[in-house]
Amino acid sequence: MHLNRILLSTALLVVALVVQVSVLARLQLPGAVPDLLLLTVLGLALVYGHTGGALVGFGAGLLADLAPPADHAVGRYALVLCVVGYAAGLTKPENGRHRSATVPMLVVAGAALSSTLLYAGVGALVGDTAARHVGLGGLLLTATVYDLLLAPFTVPAVMALARRTQHDPLAEAAGSATGATASGASGYGGGLLGTGRARWLGGRTTRVRGARSGRLLTRTSRNKVGRIRGVKRL
């Protein structure tokens, strides 16, 4: 990933985590909590692809594992968001843009369901049975509804910011400067060669013309001398 992508992703993930912990988690909504961090990862993965999505998801999950008030094992949410980011990045089209909002919304719904299931599954492997007591069905339903309601306000904005970092301005400037230097050098060399050829051809043409005119003058003078001598003889 380019440096500008890393900086933008870090800034967006930190802001999303702060808003989620300080605002969304205190709304006392029934069931799950709207996952703004997940939506940010999805928006970046839909632009950066599966590799960038996996890296962004792992970093976002690691931040969530370390940020208070985390009460689960470190690396649990990092694994979940890494898999979700990779899967979401696979839906990126070849031209880099989706034709409609249907695919991103389907990705959001699938990510909300799969992240909840993966989180509960990994928790069951490490002995965390909190999802059973809360009710897994209610968590799946509320997580999907909340994320779908929040997605139109967050995912398009994240994708628009991410598209600005797809092209590295430093690399493009270096490439354009290299191309301009190469074209300028070829044009300068061509100009010198063209000038040299013109001078050489001009000098050669002048010499040829001078030689031809000299021969004509010599022949004319010889004819005149012959005629004058003939007249004198007569």
Side-chain angles (χ1 to χ4, degrees), residues 4-65:
N4 49 5
R5 293 186 179 185
I6 296 175
L7 294 177
L8 177 64
S9 302
T10 304
L12 291 177
L13 293 177
V14 170
V15 172
L17 182 61
V18 170
V19 173
Q20 181 172 340
V21 173
S22 60
V23 178
L24 298 179
R26 298 183 179 181
L27 294 179
Q28 301 297 327
L29 296 175
V33 177
D35 200 342
L36 183 60
L37 192 63
L38 173 64
L39 297 178
T40 305
V41 171
L42 294 179
L44 294 173
L46 290 174
V47 177
Y48 293 158
H50 58 279
T51 303
L55 294 175
V56 171
F58 179 80
L62 192 60
L63 286 177
D65 291 333

Side-chain angles (χ1 to χ4, degrees), residues 12-13 16 35-50 52-54 56-58 60 77 80-92 98 103-115 143-144 147-148 150-151 154-160 162-163:
L12 291 177
L13 293 177
D35 200 342
L36 183 60
L37 192 63
L38 173 64
L39 297 178
T40 305
V41 171
L42 294 179
L44 294 173
L46 290 174
V47 177
Y48 293 158
H50 58 279
V56 171
F58 179 80
Y77 204 48
V80 172
L81 288 186
C82 180
V83 175
V84 172
Y86 180 84
L90 292 176
T91 63
K92 175 187 175 182
H98 295 85
V103 175
M105 294 302 290
L106 291 177
V107 170
V108 170
L113 293 172
S114 60
S115 62
T144 305
D147 290 345
L148 286 176
L150 190 60
T154 56
V155 176
V158 173
M159 292 178 67
R163 287 193 182 99

Side-chain angles (χ1 to χ4, degrees), residues 156-228:
V158 173
M159 292 178 67
L161 291 175
R163 287 193 182 99
R164 296 183 179 181
T165 60
Q166 279 187 309
H167 305 287
D168 192 357
L170 296 178
E172 291 180 357
S176 61
T178 304
T181 304
S183 61
S186 61
Y188 181 70
L192 287 178
L193 291 175
T195 305
R197 289 179 181 177
R199 290 178 180 176
W200 182 76
L201 291 175
R204 187 176 181 183
T205 305
T206 305
R207 292 177 182 177
V208 172
R209 290 179 179 176
R212 290 180 179 177
S213 60
R215 292 178 183 177
L216 292 175
L217 290 175
T218 305
R219 291 179 183 177
T220 307
S221 60
R222 287 180 181 178
N223 294 333
K224 290 182 178 179
V225 172
R227 291 179 184 178
I228 293 173

Side-chain angles (χ1 to χ4, degrees), residues 29-33 116 120 128-140 142:
L29 296 175
V33 177
T116 305
D128 185 2
T129 59
R132 297 179 182 178
H133 301 288
V134 176
L136 185 58
L139 287 177
L140 291 174
T142 53

